[in-house]
Amino acid sequence: MRGILGRLITDDPAIRTGLRWKLSAAIALVGALVAIALSLVVHNAARVSMLDNSRDLAIERIQVAQRMYESGRTQTFGVKVDDPTIPRDLLQKVMKGRRATYVSEGAHGVPDIWAAVPLKDGRVLSLHTRFTDRSADVMKDLDQALIIGSIAVVLGGSALGVLIGGQLSRRLRKAAAAANRVAKGETDVRVREAIGGVVRDETDDLARAVDAMADALRLRLEAERRVTADIAHELRTPVTGLITAAELLPPGRPTELVLDRAQALRTLVEDVLEVARLDGASERAELQDIMLGEFITRRVAAKDADVEVRVIHESEVTTDPRRLERVLFNLLANAARHGKPPIEVSVEGRVIRVRDHGPGFPEELLAQGPSRFRTGSSDRSGQGHGLGLTIAAGQARVLGARLTFRNVRPAGAPEDVPAEGAVAVLWLPEHAPTNTGSFPRLPLSGG
């Protein structure tokens, strides 16, 4: 379950960006577009309204001037009779016998307002004014207000996006952290409880879905583990009987072959039972204080006197000797079975390295870690069921240690160059786990 959830959570080839900044940018962009559109509409509407007022004022003035001209009084408002500069379009409308106005673009973009009316004697009375300075100032003030308002909308939208996106991002980060804890084997963690909050949204749906998926995977894997453990447990009695019966056979090569295969079967059954117990996450370390270098030297000498042990730096550690020995022997057995001599063991502080000079670990193991019943590529598969490294990794977890694997290649050599050996490194923790699996901060006498 840990491997499955870990790959689901950590595999992320996409470019990582913040949700709050995406949301903020989206709101700011929409706000800017809306503000620009409204500003243009308001600007044009205000301009058209002011031009209409200027036209109406020009019409009123030309009507007053017409009455004064026809009554023989002096002209006012600067009206002219048969003005040669009158626009052609306006003149054509007036020649049809009707009063008209006309707007043209003057200097510096300021509109010119024209008004004209036909007289009884066939002449044309016209008035030419410009867009008033007061109206131009009003338009400038309006444009300035629209610009300031647009900037305020964009900034306010960005701040709102950061606020909303930050809240959503925090909930998602809490959910991701809780899911990672579930992937590491903390079965009591619930993503929905981790994100908290009163408001219910899609994040809650996601959290409940992750919780449901984790529960389903846990139940399925627990059922598979229980079935595996039951089968292995039931096989112990007949396998023991088989070995006993084989020992009663007359001496000879056939008897040796039967005993060898029966012993291999019993070893497989015991390994499967151990893997099932480790998968149950109920194993606890029985701690003792040991001198690590001395312990490793004695155990390796008892296992295989041909293996060289180097103690670079001695250290006192608090760990479970039985489980540490199990990890060490499995690493040595893997090196002897799949690698080539010489096999070397070094102890440096809390770090134990086991190296062989064979073809190296398969790429699948380096990428995904040990897997049961997978022994690697053909050049390193040999005999075995792939349970040795799986058990070593499981026992290392119980010890609170970290077990890593790598291949040895010449310095600067590309990946396609064959390996010159394989190295398994066991990193013991600075603070030993308690019987509950936690790691207290305790002072140790050793390095």
Side-chain angles (χ1 to χ4, degrees), residues 147-182:
I147 293 174
I148 295 175
S150 300
I151 295 175
V153 168
V154 173
L155 294 179
S158 300
L160 182 62
V162 171
L163 180 63
I164 297 176
Q167 183 178 4
L168 182 59
S169 179
R170 282 192 298 271
R171 289 168 63 85
L172 290 176
R173 283 199 301 270
K174 290 180 180 179
N180 278 319
R181 292 174 59 191
V182 173

Side-chain angles (χ1 to χ4, degrees), residues 255-288:
T255 300
E256 293 177 0
L257 293 176
V258 171
L259 280 174
D260 179 69
R261 293 298 88 196
Q263 291 288 357
L265 181 58
R266 182 167 67 177
T267 301
L268 175 60
V269 171
E270 295 296 335
D271 286 348
V272 171
L273 274 175
E274 186 171 358
V275 169
R277 287 194 300 268
L278 292 172
D279 284 346
S282 59
E283 296 288 290
R284 293 292 179 261
E286 298 179 3
L287 303 177
Q288 297 180 23

Side-chain angles (χ1 to χ4, degrees), residues 83-268:
D83 187 352
T85 61
I86 186 171
R88 182 180 299 275
D89 294 338
L90 177 61
L91 183 60
Q92 291 177 354
K93 294 179 180 179
V94 174
M95 295 305 296
K96 295 179 180 179
R98 57 192 181 93
R99 185 173 59 247
T101 59
Y102 184 80
V103 178
S104 62
E105 290 295 332
H108 307 293
V110 179
D112 288 338
I113 311 298
W114 289 83
V117 61
L119 299 175
K120 295 180 179 179
D121 56 4
R123 305 176 76 180
V124 175
L125 187 67
S126 62
L127 172 66
H128 179 206
T129 60
R130 294 184 179 276
F131 205 51
T132 62
D133 293 339
R134 182 172 179 273
S135 298
D137 293 340
V138 170
M139 288 300 301
K140 290 181 180 179
D141 293 341
L142 178 62
D143 291 341
Q144 185 177 3
L146 290 175
I147 293 174
I148 295 175
S150 300
I151 295 175
V153 168
V154 173
L155 294 179
S158 300
L160 182 62
V162 171
L163 180 63
I164 297 176
Q167 183 178 4
L168 182 59
S169 179
R170 282 192 298 271
R171 289 168 63 85
L172 290 176
R173 283 199 301 270
K174 290 180 180 179
N180 278 319
R181 292 174 59 191
V182 173
K184 293 177 180 177
E186 300 183 29
T187 58
D188 58 337
V189 176
R190 288 293 176 269
V191 179
R192 176 62 195 87
E193 296 176 359
I195 63 175
V198 179
V199 179
R200 298 291 183 264
D201 54 19
E202 288 79 1
T203 311
D204 298 89
D205 299 334
L206 175 62
R208 290 190 179 91
V210 173
D211 288 338
M213 180 188 69
D215 290 338
L217 283 173
R218 183 165 49 250
L219 292 175
R220 178 177 178 181
L221 294 175
E222 177 62 24
E224 293 179 355
R225 185 196 66 81
R226 191 179 301 112
V227 170
T228 302
D230 292 343
I231 293 175
H233 187 271
E234 293 299 325
L235 285 174
R236 296 178 73 180
T237 300
V239 169
T240 302
L242 178 61
I243 293 176
T244 302
E247 291 175 346
L248 299 177
L249 295 175
R253 182 57 180 169
T255 300
E256 293 177 0
L257 293 176
V258 171
L259 280 174
D260 179 69
R261 293 298 88 196
Q263 291 288 357
L265 181 58
R266 182 167 67 177
T267 301
L268 175 60

